[in-house]
Amino acid sequence: SSDIFSYLHILYYQDKMDPNTSEKNPNAAMSLVEEVSTAGKSQLVSLQNTTNQHLVDVKKELAQLVDVRKDLADLKDVKKDLATIKESIAGLKEVNEQSDKHRRITFAIQNISLVTKEFNFQKATQKKDCYNNVTYHLESINDSETKNIITDILLNFQQGEGHFIDSYCFVDANEKPISFNNLKSEWFKSEWFKAFQEILTTKLHKLLGKKPIMKLCDGRMAVFYQ
């Protein structure tokens, strides 16, 4: 385009300087002006089309971004809904577990007599001699006391608590009182305490339909529902 305008510039001055050219060149000059005008219009049209296409592309991208934002918002709502559902499920699970626990313990209390018969065990009372040796004096537990002990255990389960059992044992009637030098460490390892622990676990499992657990609590052995 700069060459065309240069040529027009030359024609203009030729027209001023040479009278003979003023009649010969006007048509050529007009032709060049028309060409320049046509070329400019063509470029403008092309530029406009390109601009319009860019605008269309930008609108499409903006529309896509809006859709993405909507999707993200929907996804956040879905996540919130899922979190709410999980909380509801957890709440229902806890309610079901508590209901199941209550049902099991209620049945066990009502049917204690199924396991108290012939459940003969002893309560061990410790005594120390002058050498600090520990001797356990055994006291047999009758059926009524057995029923009360197991009832107390089940009621503690109902409250979410455990029940200490480290003062009981199962010793054959012909056995002599047992002596240990260290109460806490050796008593829990003794065959007499383990025998009581196993029998009690079996009896409670039969009543509850669920095996209880035994664990140390403050240095003492206790039985828990779970």
Side-chain angles (χ1 to χ4, degrees), residues 16 42 60 99 139 143 148 165 190 203 205 223 225:
K16 294 291 184 181
S42 177
K60 288 181 179 179
S99 177
E139 179 184 353
D143 291 346
N148 291 337
I165 58 170
S190 69
K203 299 285 187 181
H205 191 180
V223 58
Y225 178 79

Side-chain angles (χ1 to χ4, degrees), residues 60-214:
K60 288 181 179 179
E61 291 178 358
L62 287 174
Q64 290 175 353
L65 286 175
V66 170
D67 291 339
V68 169
R69 287 183 177 179
K70 288 181 179 179
D71 291 340
L72 289 175
D74 292 341
L75 183 59
K76 288 181 180 179
D77 291 338
V78 170
K79 287 183 177 180
K80 289 180 180 178
D81 291 341
L82 286 175
T84 302
I85 291 171
K86 286 182 179 179
E87 289 178 0
S88 298
I89 292 174
L92 288 173
K93 183 179 179 181
E94 183 177 356
V95 170
N96 287 336
E97 288 178 351
Q98 290 298 323
S99 177
D100 179 69
K101 174 182 174 181
H102 177 75
R103 179 179 58 80
R104 290 174 184 271
I105 294 175
T106 299
F107 173 86
I109 292 174
Q110 293 173 348
N111 294 275
I112 286 180
S113 58
L114 294 175
V115 299
T116 54
K117 294 178 180 179
E118 300 180 357
F119 183 16
N120 301 315
F121 60 98
Q122 298 82 24
K123 182 175 181 179
T125 303
Q126 61 170 330
K127 290 187 178 181
K128 293 183 180 180
D129 60 19
C130 58
Y131 300 102
N132 209 34
N133 293 318
V134 178
T135 301
Y136 290 94
H137 292 270
L138 306 180
E139 179 184 353
S140 295
I141 304 297
N142 58 41
D143 291 346
S144 178
E145 291 172 322
T146 299
K147 183 177 180 179
N148 291 337
I149 291 169
I150 295 182
T151 299
D152 289 342
I153 290 174
L154 294 172
L155 290 175
N156 282 352
F157 285 176
Q158 191 74 278
Q159 300 298 320
E161 300 173 352
H163 189 88
F164 290 117
I165 58 170
D166 51 3
S167 60
Y168 304 110
C169 62
F170 181 79
V171 180
D172 187 275
N174 296 322
E175 294 277 354
K176 294 180 180 180
I178 316 148
S179 297
F180 291 110
N181 292 326
N182 188 317
L183 167 64
K184 293 191 180 299
S185 63
E186 294 190 26
W187 175 249
F188 297 144
K189 297 177 183 178
S190 69
E191 60 181 288
W192 300 279
F193 176 74
K194 286 183 178 180
F196 169 75
Q197 185 178 355
E198 291 175 2
I199 295 172
L200 179 64
T201 299
T202 301
K203 299 285 187 181
L204 291 175
H205 191 180
K206 182 178 179 180
L207 277 176
L208 296 167
K210 179 183 175 90
K211 189 175 181 180
I213 62 172
M214 306 280 181

